[in-house]
Amino acid sequence: MIKNFIELSKSKKTVSKTLVVAAAHDKETLEAINIAERDFNIKYILVGDRNKIISESSNFGFSIASDKIIDTNGDEECVKVAVELIKNDAGDALMKGLLDTGALLKAVLNKKNDIRGTGVLSHMALLEVQKYNKLIGITDGGMIPNPTFEQKVSITTNAAKYFTGIGYDKPKIAALCASETVNEKIPETVDAAELQKQCQNGSLGDCILEGPVSFDIAVDKNSAQKKKYPGKIGGEADILLVPNITVGNVLAKGLIYWAGAKMAGCILGAKIPIVLASRGASAEEKVLSIMMSLIQ
Amino acid sequence: MIKNFIELSKSKKTVSKTLVVAAAHDKETLEAINIAERDFNIKYILVGDRNKIISESSNFGFSIASDKIIDTNGDEECVKVAVELIKNDAGDALMKGLLDTGALLKAVLNKKNDIRGTGVLSHMALLEVQKYNKLIGITDGGMIPNPTFEQKVSITTNAAKYFTGIGYDKPKIAALCASETVNEKIPETVDAAELQKQCQNGSLGDCILEGPVSFDIAVDKNSAQKKKYPGKIGGEADILLVPNITVGNVLAKGLIYWAGAKMAGCILGAKIPIVLASRGASAEEKVLSIMMSLIQ
């Protein structure tokens, strides 16, 4: 169990891990890499416009060794080179710089490049909230709009694999709904119950998934006790599996803006995690997202 | 604009308003009424088992005048009498006590009783969050699971009517989604854009509705400015219109459990507001819900 981002950084598991950045000629991306190297000892390979990378980084005193930059001409070549590096195991995570998201994802999803997994790609947000005694994952609030049941299975296995990869033993996943009641009129409650069944049959990987579960039962022990919740994750969820992108996005933003939460996020399901920072992401969020991707 | 629940209570608009309670023979319900009378000068008519009402209330020193209790025998008679009182304008709000929710709603929805409106019934939550400079409404996170477009129109008009009723001039309603982009794959974004169009045509009552809008743009001025949001509600939403019950329920609970939010809730759309406190509701939530219902 990782209590918060400070503890995560202290674990030093990011040391000597290498980040491959596609289109690194971007001020904010370079700032985040600078901090991640200084504070967390990450390594990196910057793919993109060498001159721009050097001029941008020198503006804030970030000195980059020449052999850490691969000069490319245009987005297409940049993506090709970055993906080739990952394919050849030269990096532990891939980060998008000043580049269209679609262009990068297209290359990742291209089976020829051999860096996508067998399942779907999904987004995992990792949040630190003052009122919770450990980090909480939210998935998928950023990638798949309205997942089918099969996609929910993939989202779950991606999540379980990530959490066991960073040291959790059987992460507790709550299939989040408005209540604990299965209601045919609310399809996510039916899916949640079916996911719980599949988990009990051992087909969802190394995790404990229960649902449908309401937010309070998932993360608040008093509430779980008061409502006599019979499951194993009452108040102790590690991951909230949300039924669609809107639930995840609204919850995460609600916690960031009104509960002082800090967030990291990355795309799971490929050979390596992919950092796709959103347009509104703070420098801190970008640094935490890099760490989150390299800690595995 | 009401800044918080203290300001709402100071407005004293609840003075001399009358609450009709169906099946008032319930400890927690009586405690909430006791506080609402003491602190906010509400009046009440308690329908239910007279002996139980008197014995429960005497346990904590709540003295009830004899003429404020109407003795009934069993749930059916209790609901009938309570609904008859509302029908005859003897009360300004209806509260459920120790009673099956379905039994009360069935009577409310029965057209013969003439207390339901022309539209649908919908849930309105009113939250006080430390980080926001005014109360925020969330609708519908408690009644209609997956509203159709037509039901979203009714939820919106119920919300607008309630807010103008408590003194708002053109309340600002954000049709909440994961982003500002209309995406055919995410039906709620299409509905949100259509609701905005209908609002501009003046068919949604006295309000400003904009959507699709993300949470940060709805309630955070910096974010709205940074993203150059062109609308009128950037960072100033009074009401978050959520696309389905799960988004509203998860957001409200996230704010209550992790952002220290206080909440009140009631059902709108009938002739009068209806207080249906949930099984997990605190005494404070019940009191605030009574006030919220009587302030109109």
Side-chain angles (χ1 to χ4, degrees), chain A residues 279-291:
Chain A
R279 56 187 170 137
S282 65
E284 184 183 40
E285 183 177 327
K286 283 183 186 170
V287 175
L288 294 175
S289 300
I290 293 171
M291 285 168 54

PDB file of all heavy atoms in Angstrom, chain A residues 279-291:
ATOM      1  N   ARG A 279      -4.376  19.125 -21.582  1.00  0.00           N
ATOM      2  CA  ARG A 279      -4.027  20.535 -21.801  1.00  0.00           C
ATOM      3  C   ARG A 279      -4.054  21.347 -20.502  1.00  0.00           C
ATOM      4  O   ARG A 279      -3.322  22.303 -20.349  1.00  0.00           O
ATOM      5  CB  ARG A 279      -4.972  21.156 -22.851  1.00  0.00           C
ATOM      6  CG  ARG A 279      -6.429  21.029 -22.501  1.00  0.00           C
ATOM      7  CD  ARG A 279      -7.366  21.493 -23.614  1.00  0.00           C
ATOM      8  NE  ARG A 279      -8.732  21.105 -23.268  1.00  0.00           N
ATOM      9  CZ  ARG A 279      -9.814  21.849 -23.405  1.00  0.00           C
ATOM     10  NH1 ARG A 279      -9.724  23.028 -23.940  1.00  0.00           N
ATOM     11  NH2 ARG A 279     -10.999  21.420 -23.026  1.00  0.00           N
ATOM     12  N   GLY A 280      -4.900  20.943 -19.547  1.00  0.00           N
ATOM     13  CA  GLY A 280      -5.001  21.712 -18.308  1.00  0.00           C
ATOM     14  C   GLY A 280      -4.081  21.209 -17.205  1.00  0.00           C
ATOM     15  O   GLY A 280      -4.100  21.728 -16.095  1.00  0.00           O
ATOM     16  N   ALA A 281      -3.265  20.193 -17.491  1.00  0.00           N
ATOM     17  CA  ALA A 281      -2.449  19.568 -16.449  1.00  0.00           C
ATOM     18  C   ALA A 281      -1.383  20.524 -15.913  1.00  0.00           C
ATOM     19  O   ALA A 281      -0.712  21.219 -16.673  1.00  0.00           O
ATOM     20  CB  ALA A 281      -1.793  18.305 -16.995  1.00  0.00           C
ATOM     21  N   SER A 282      -1.218  20.548 -14.593  1.00  0.00           N
ATOM     22  CA  SER A 282      -0.166  21.363 -13.974  1.00  0.00           C
ATOM     23  C   SER A 282       1.171  20.657 -14.132  1.00  0.00           C
ATOM     24  O   SER A 282       1.237  19.469 -14.447  1.00  0.00           O
ATOM     25  CB  SER A 282      -0.473  21.538 -12.490  1.00  0.00           C
ATOM     26  OG  SER A 282      -0.395  20.287 -11.840  1.00  0.00           O
ATOM     27  N   ALA A 283       2.274  21.413 -13.913  1.00  0.00           N
ATOM     28  CA  ALA A 283       3.611  20.813 -13.978  1.00  0.00           C
ATOM     29  C   ALA A 283       3.698  19.666 -12.976  1.00  0.00           C
ATOM     30  O   ALA A 283       4.228  18.600 -13.277  1.00  0.00           O
ATOM     31  CB  ALA A 283       4.671  21.870 -13.678  1.00  0.00           C
ATOM     32  N   GLU A 284       3.125  19.882 -11.781  1.00  0.00           N
ATOM     33  CA  GLU A 284       3.154  18.840 -10.745  1.00  0.00           C
ATOM     34  C   GLU A 284       2.467  17.565 -11.250  1.00  0.00           C
ATOM     35  O   GLU A 284       2.980  16.458 -11.057  1.00  0.00           O
ATOM     36  CB  GLU A 284       2.461  19.344  -9.477  1.00  0.00           C
ATOM     37  CG  GLU A 284       2.534  18.345  -8.330  1.00  0.00           C
ATOM     38  CD  GLU A 284       1.789  18.827  -7.090  1.00  0.00           C
ATOM     39  OE1 GLU A 284       0.696  19.408  -7.241  1.00  0.00           O
ATOM     40  OE2 GLU A 284       2.309  18.621  -5.980  1.00  0.00           O
ATOM     41  N   GLU A 285       1.310  17.742 -11.894  1.00  0.00           N
ATOM     42  CA  GLU A 285       0.584  16.573 -12.409  1.00  0.00           C
ATOM     43  C   GLU A 285       1.430  15.825 -13.438  1.00  0.00           C
ATOM     44  O   GLU A 285       1.437  14.593 -13.470  1.00  0.00           O
ATOM     45  CB  GLU A 285      -0.756  17.011 -13.017  1.00  0.00           C
ATOM     46  CG  GLU A 285      -1.585  15.837 -13.509  1.00  0.00           C
ATOM     47  CD  GLU A 285      -2.966  16.249 -14.047  1.00  0.00           C
ATOM     48  OE1 GLU A 285      -3.542  17.225 -13.530  1.00  0.00           O
ATOM     49  OE2 GLU A 285      -3.446  15.594 -14.986  1.00  0.00           O
ATOM     50  N   LYS A 286       2.147  16.580 -14.266  1.00  0.00           N
ATOM     51  CA  LYS A 286       2.988  15.935 -15.277  1.00  0.00           C
ATOM     52  C   LYS A 286       4.133  15.152 -14.634  1.00  0.00           C
ATOM     53  O   LYS A 286       4.442  14.039 -15.045  1.00  0.00           O
ATOM     54  CB  LYS A 286       3.544  16.980 -16.253  1.00  0.00           C
ATOM     55  CG  LYS A 286       2.504  17.427 -17.267  1.00  0.00           C
ATOM     56  CD  LYS A 286       3.060  18.413 -18.276  1.00  0.00           C
ATOM     57  CE  LYS A 286       1.926  18.936 -19.167  1.00  0.00           C
ATOM     58  NZ  LYS A 286       2.313  20.045 -20.006  1.00  0.00           N
ATOM     59  N   VAL A 287       4.758  15.738 -13.628  1.00  0.00           N
ATOM     60  CA  VAL A 287       5.854  15.047 -12.934  1.00  0.00           C
ATOM     61  C   VAL A 287       5.338  13.772 -12.267  1.00  0.00           C
ATOM     62  O   VAL A 287       5.935  12.694 -12.405  1.00  0.00           O
ATOM     63  CB  VAL A 287       6.506  15.972 -11.879  1.00  0.00           C
ATOM     64  CG1 VAL A 287       7.560  15.204 -11.082  1.00  0.00           C
ATOM     65  CG2 VAL A 287       7.123  17.196 -12.545  1.00  0.00           C
ATOM     66  N   LEU A 288       4.204  13.900 -11.554  1.00  0.00           N
ATOM     67  CA  LEU A 288       3.633  12.738 -10.869  1.00  0.00           C
ATOM     68  C   LEU A 288       3.241  11.657 -11.891  1.00  0.00           C
ATOM     69  O   LEU A 288       3.386  10.459 -11.628  1.00  0.00           O
ATOM     70  CB  LEU A 288       2.414  13.143 -10.035  1.00  0.00           C
ATOM     71  CG  LEU A 288       2.698  14.062  -8.841  1.00  0.00           C
ATOM     72  CD1 LEU A 288       1.389  14.493  -8.172  1.00  0.00           C
ATOM     73  CD2 LEU A 288       3.602  13.370  -7.820  1.00  0.00           C
ATOM     74  N   SER A 289       2.773  12.089 -13.050  1.00  0.00           N
ATOM     75  CA  SER A 289       2.371  11.128 -14.083  1.00  0.00           C
ATOM     76  C   SER A 289       3.589  10.376 -14.630  1.00  0.00           C
ATOM     77  O   SER A 289       3.522   9.177 -14.904  1.00  0.00           O
ATOM     78  CB  SER A 289       1.638  11.844 -15.215  1.00  0.00           C
ATOM     79  OG  SER A 289       0.473  12.480 -14.726  1.00  0.00           O
ATOM     80  N   ILE A 290       4.704  11.088 -14.770  1.00  0.00           N
ATOM     81  CA  ILE A 290       5.947  10.436 -15.200  1.00  0.00           C
ATOM     82  C   ILE A 290       6.370   9.393 -14.164  1.00  0.00           C
ATOM     83  O   ILE A 290       6.674   8.243 -14.485  1.00  0.00           O
ATOM     84  CB  ILE A 290       7.074  11.475 -15.404  1.00  0.00           C
ATOM     85  CG1 ILE A 290       6.743  12.381 -16.607  1.00  0.00           C
ATOM     86  CG2 ILE A 290       8.430  10.788 -15.596  1.00  0.00           C
ATOM     87  CD1 ILE A 290       7.689  13.568 -16.768  1.00  0.00           C
ATOM     88  N   MET A 291       6.347   9.808 -12.889  1.00  0.00           N
ATOM     89  CA  MET A 291       6.721   8.877 -11.819  1.00  0.00           C
ATOM     90  C   MET A 291       5.824   7.657 -11.794  1.00  0.00           C
ATOM     91  O   MET A 291       6.277   6.524 -11.643  1.00  0.00           O
ATOM     92  CB  MET A 291       6.591   9.570 -10.467  1.00  0.00           C
ATOM     93  CG  MET A 291       7.692  10.537 -10.179  1.00  0.00           C
ATOM     94  SD  MET A 291       7.211  11.506  -8.748  1.00  0.00           S
ATOM     95  CE  MET A 291       6.865  10.181  -7.576  1.00  0.00           C
TER      96      MET A 291
END
